[in-house]
Structures are given as structure tokens and as C-alpha cells.
Amino acid sequence: MEPVHPDPTIGCHVVAMPYPGRGHINPMMNLCKLLVSRKDRIAITFVVTEEWLGILGSEPKPAKVRFATVPNVIPSERCRGTDFPSFFEAVMTKLQEPFERLLDWLEPSVIVYDTFLAWMVGVGNRRNIPVASLWTTPALAFMVLQHVDLMVQNGHFPLNLSEKGNEQIDYIPGIPPTRVEDLSTIFTDNEQVMHRLREAISFVPKAQYLLLTSIYELESHTIDALRNIIHIPIYSIGPAIPYFNLKDNDNDNDYVQWLDSQPKSSVLYVSQGSFLSVSKAQMDEIIVGVKNSGVRFLWVARGEASRMKELCGSDEGVVVPWCDQLKTIVEDWKIGWKVRRGIGKEEQLVTREEIAGLVRRVMDLESEEGKEMRKRAKELREICQRATLEGGSAETEIDAFIRDISLSYNH
């Protein structure tokens, strides 16, 4: 295999590697689209497993973004949910070697990696290649995970929600007083996964840059506090969606046409994350609860799409294995209610009756709760729209990152 020499017309070659899950691949790809849209002399090599290339290969992308692959050395995406801790451990331990072999031929100017891939920092530093860490969840979650030791000192970790769930955590920089219960969704009860998460966070200060998929105006106190703690450049790049071309997106998918045919504010959007999953018993309660609510829904169900269709039927909603979240999220930034109770051994089943009632309350256009939720959603949407406009905070931060990596490369 011959080295891939940089095109002399390209000023900066970025190698990007996401964590292998939709909720991480999408932000990384959208960041890459933003980068090439802002500067002509950037080219990007997007590294995924061979399995993920089969999933992504037919999706549209800019000409200056190309795929490269590593072998399928981790468990298949199809069975990730059956043993997530083993999947996560494989990602942490088995991808580095094939990635380094590939890197020998790529000659990058900079590496952008998903924060979970902690080993990437050592790879870049050994090879004298600048590395940028991409954090794909709110800055608040990063700050909380960075201060787990403080939670231990204050008796709030490991979590004990039955005894301390209502206690206030008021000692984490940049985060207002928050109940322990309300921060519980950041954590997992699996000790090995928690160890790996904390390890990943601890490696970030050894990188050269940190990219946050946050709107600065929504998390300014947390981001400012992070900048006082981590002494590398930090960029709040916004929601990592290609907002520059949203108006050009064609509604060529069946589910989008179905959405467009529904009454305004009548569809519940349900999406399973690609990182942690709920138990089968809880998922069955959610499925039946949503169905019994009688509310229209669009459900993104990953590998369980066929089972969802079987249980939900097709009268009230649409079940798809994946959707373009730009066309469901962007038009009306959703906020939601937490239905999880407890974590690990303390987790309590939320029944289908409770879920059905909750869904009806969320979707009731006349209820005070529903009106307040839509009011807050509208305010959030307006803040996000301003941030992603020409000259807004997200665009300014993206441009600053491009300027800094270009200067680093040129020197």
C-alpha cells in the first residue's frame, strides 16, 4: 500500500475517527461537513470499521470527505445491545492497532477523535500529530464526569438514589445546584464502563484542542468554567449539524413525507441513543406505553425496528431504523421529560400506564405543562438559530478552530 500523499492544493488534511455508534458518527460527520464548507483547502479522511462503511457508504457526503476503513475487530453493531460493556471494552482496546497501521499511510495534519477513544491522544502525541477531542454530549456531562472525585468526597458517588436522590450537588464548577437524581442519566452502574469514561475524560487535557457540540449561549457558565480548568483551546461549535444547507434538504424520505402530512405539533419523536440501552423489560413497557397513548409517533429504533413495528403496528406512527434528525429536531428543538427511575440495581420499572400518561401530557396542546414545554422549546430554537446564523457563535468557533489547526500545520 502506497502512502496517501497530501494533495498540494490542500492546506490541511484532517483524519477523523468517531466512536462506532450513530449518536457519535453523525456529529463527527457533520463536523467534517462544516469544516469543508468553511474552507476550501481542507480534505478529510473519515475512518470507520468495514461494517460501518457498509452502513454509511451510500449516504451523501462532500467530495472532500473520503472514507477509510479498519477491519471489523469489534463486535457487530447488530449485537452491541446484548453485551454493551464487552462492546465498549473492545472499542477501547482493539481499534488502536489497526488504526495506527492505517495512519502510517495517511500523513494527516491533525486528528479529530471522539473523546471516548482515549488511546488516540497517545497516538497523536507519539507521532507529533495535533489531536482534537470531539465531545458529542452536553458540556454539563463532561464537567460532571470530570468531577466524580468530588462526588465521591461528598458521598454522592457511587449513586444511591433511594437515600440521596433528592440531595443537591452544588460544588461542581459551572453547574447550578442540581439534584443527584437529575444527574443520574450521565452514569452507568457498570464499573468497567465508568472507569473507561473517566479515563477518557482524564486524557482530554493532553490533547491539543477540545470541541464541544454545545451552543455557547445555552451552556456559557459550564463552558467558561471548563476553560478555566482545562488549559487547551476549547471551541463550542454548536449542535454539529450541517446547518448551512438545511434549507436545501429535499424531503425525499417516506417518513419525512409522513411527518409533513401530520397536524402541527402532533408527533412524538422517540430516539434510542447509541451508547447505553435500557433493559428489555423496560423497553417493552415503553413500546406498549407509547402505543397505548394513542399519540402519533416517529420512532428511531436501530436494530429493533422490525420488532417495534410488530408491537406498535402502523396506525399511529412510523418506525424506522434511522432518520435524518436534521428534519425532526431542527424545525422544533424538542425538550422532554425523564422517565428513568434509579440506576443499576436500584432501577425501577416505569410501567406502560405511566408512560402512556406521560406521553399524553407531553403532547396535550391545551395543558399548562404542554404549553410551557412548547414555549421553552421555541426559546431554545431561537437561541440555536441565532447561534448558527452567519456570524453567530457556532460559526465563529468553527472558524477559530480552522484557523488554529491551519496555523499549526503551516508551522
Side-chain angles (χ1 to χ4, degrees):
M1 182 177 180
E2 291 298 319
V4 181
H5 296 292
D7 185 327
T9 65
I10 296 298
C12 186
H13 177 206
V14 177
V15 169
M17 187 168 188
Y19 172 89
R22 262 296 179 185
H24 296 256
I25 287 175
N26 284 0
M28 183 68 82
M29 177 57 79
N30 290 328
L31 168 63
C32 293
K33 291 178 180 179
L34 287 170
L35 292 176
V36 298
S37 76
R38 300 299 301 169
K39 187 175 178 66
D40 289 338
R41 299 185 67 231
I42 286 182
I44 294 174
T45 301
F46 198 88
V47 180
V48 292
T49 63
E50 292 169 349
E51 179 183 27
W52 267 105
L53 180 63
I55 298 171
L56 300 170
S58 61
E59 296 177 12
K61 62 177 180 57
K64 288 192 292 184
V65 177
R66 63 173 184 175
F67 287 116
T69 62
V70 293
N72 294 325
V73 294
I74 59 175
S76 170
E77 176 69 12
R78 294 188 298 274
C79 59
R80 144 219 302 272
T82 60
D83 186 0
F84 177 76
S86 295
F87 177 88
F88 194 63
E89 186 66 14
V91 172
M92 299 301 106
T93 58
K94 295 184 177 179
L95 284 175
Q96 179 177 346
E97 182 181 347
F99 175 80
E100 290 214 53
R101 290 200 302 269
L102 176 65
L103 198 62
D104 290 338
W105 307 98
L106 292 180
E107 300 187 8
S109 318
V110 63
I111 298 171
V112 180
Y113 78 99
D114 189 290
T115 302
F116 288 169
L117 305 180
W119 47 265
M120 193 70 80
V121 176
V123 170
N125 289 345
R126 284 198 311 275
R127 293 169 176 256
N128 199 29
I129 303 170
V131 290
S133 184
L134 176 68
W135 180 251
T136 61
T137 55
L140 177 145
F142 187 100
M143 187 64 95
V144 170
L145 288 170
Q146 192 179 44
H147 289 85
V148 170
D149 287 345
L150 269 183
M151 294 179 65
V152 173
Q153 293 170 23
N154 284 272
H156 290 141
F157 192 85
L159 299 181
N160 184 345
L161 300 184
S162 60
E163 294 184 11
K164 298 190 176 184
N166 287 320
E167 291 188 10
Q168 295 275 326
I169 292 179
D170 58 3
Y171 45 80
I172 297 180
I175 296 177
T178 308
R179 292 190 317 145
V180 174
E181 169 75 24
D182 293 332
L183 293 179
S184 65
T185 55
I186 295 172
F187 301 97
T188 171
D189 66 318
N190 184 281
E191 291 184 7
Q192 179 65 12
V193 174
M194 271 304 305
H195 169 75
R196 289 294 189 183
L197 287 175
R198 295 178 65 186
E199 180 182 57
I201 295 291
S202 72
F203 272 82
V204 170
K206 300 173 186 176
Q208 282 66 53
Y209 314 97
L210 172 59
L211 300 164
L212 303 172
T213 55
S214 298
I215 297 284
Y216 176 77
E217 289 82 350
L218 295 179
E219 294 197 272
S220 58
H221 295 298
T222 304
I223 294 169
D224 288 344
L226 265 178
R227 285 173 170 154
N228 287 329
I229 295 170
I230 299 179
H231 302 296
I232 61 175
I234 297 176
Y235 313 85
S236 53
I237 61 170
I241 57 175
Y243 38 76
F244 58 89
N245 67 357
L246 288 178
K247 295 179 180 178
D248 299 330
N249 282 344
D250 296 325
N251 292 346
D252 54 356
N253 294 306
D254 291 342
Y255 64 83
V256 177
Q257 296 174 17
W258 177 83
L259 275 176
D260 289 343
S261 69
Q262 306 305 312
K264 183 178 180 181
S265 301
S266 68
V267 177
L268 176 73
Y269 174 66
V270 186
S271 178
Q272 294 172 245
S274 58
F275 183 53
L276 298 178
S277 56
V278 299
S279 67
K280 181 179 183 297
Q282 183 63 82
M283 182 52 63
D284 286 346
E285 294 299 303
I286 295 172
I287 293 170
V288 178
V290 170
K291 176 178 172 57
N292 291 349
S293 72
V295 166
R296 298 176 181 89
F297 59 85
L298 172 64
W299 197 315
V300 185
R302 290 197 343 247
E304 302 90 350
S306 59
R307 178 166 162 264
M308 297 282 185
K309 289 177 182 178
E310 185 177 325
L311 291 174
C312 290
S314 58
D315 294 338
E316 299 89 358
V318 173
V319 180
V320 294
W322 176 80
C323 81
D324 184 350
Q325 295 184 13
L326 302 182
K327 302 190 184 83
T328 56
I329 293 174
V330 174
E331 291 304 314
D332 188 6
W333 290 88
K334 300 294 192 294
I335 55 178
W337 289 346
K338 184 165 76 73
V339 297
R340 180 181 183 181
R341 281 201 298 262
I343 185 173
K345 295 178 181 178
E346 288 189 329
E347 188 164 1
Q348 303 171 29
L349 199 68
V350 182
T351 68
R352 61 191 64 184
E353 291 79 14
E354 292 175 287
I355 290 168
L358 179 64
V359 169
R360 293 188 192 106
R361 286 161 58 198
V362 169
M363 299 304 293
D364 184 353
L365 298 179
E366 301 304 319
S367 72
E368 288 304 313
E369 290 171 307
K371 289 178 181 178
E372 182 62 25
M373 182 173 288
R374 283 163 179 77
K375 177 184 176 184
R376 293 199 304 271
K378 182 180 179 183
E379 292 169 353
L380 289 174
R381 180 181 64 189
E382 291 172 352
I383 291 171
C384 294
Q385 286 177 336
R386 287 195 298 271
T388 55
L389 287 174
E390 187 81 21
S393 62
E395 182 186 84
T396 300
E397 295 281 276
I398 284 280
D399 287 347
F401 175 64
I402 291 173
R403 181 187 65 244
D404 291 348
I405 62 174
S406 298
L407 287 172
S408 172
Y409 174 67
N410 290 332
H411 290 158

